[in-house]
Amino acid sequence: MKKGIHPAYQQVVFQDSSTGFKFISGSTKTSDETIKMDDGKTYPLIRVEISSDSHPFYTGKQKFNQVDGAVDRFNKKYGLSDKK
């Protein structure tokens, strides 16, 4: 790699603002805020709004807005029904 053109890569703590869940990951992101973790080390703290701990896709609390499938919408639109 060329010297001086890449940002510094370091271990940082990402904290989910809504649940308080924290995890350590490598990142080039920096922060003035720090946190001391269970391993005794101090890391820069990056607050995030959504993580795998709070996102509906990962928590299983996903809401489905579209209940009807394409065939059901077609039948509803053109007056066809399943009844014979």
Side-chain angles (χ1 to χ4, degrees), residues 15-22 48-49 51-55 59:
Q15 181 177 14
D16 189 321
S17 299
S18 60
T19 64
F21 176 70
K22 295 177 239 160
V48 293
E49 293 181 16
S51 71
S52 61
D53 194 53
S54 63
H55 193 280
T59 61

Side-chain angles (χ1 to χ4, degrees), residues 1 6-12 14 24-30 44:
M1 292 192 319
H6 298 285
Y9 187 78
Q10 62 187 353
Q11 295 291 315
V12 297
F14 290 94
I24 299 173
S25 180
S27 177
T28 57
K29 190 102 169 128
T30 60

Side-chain angles (χ1 to χ4, degrees), residues 2 7 25 33 55 59-60 77-78 81:
K2 285 187 176 180
S25 180
E33 206 172 354
H55 193 280
T59 61
K77 183 176 180 178
Y78 294 105
S81 66

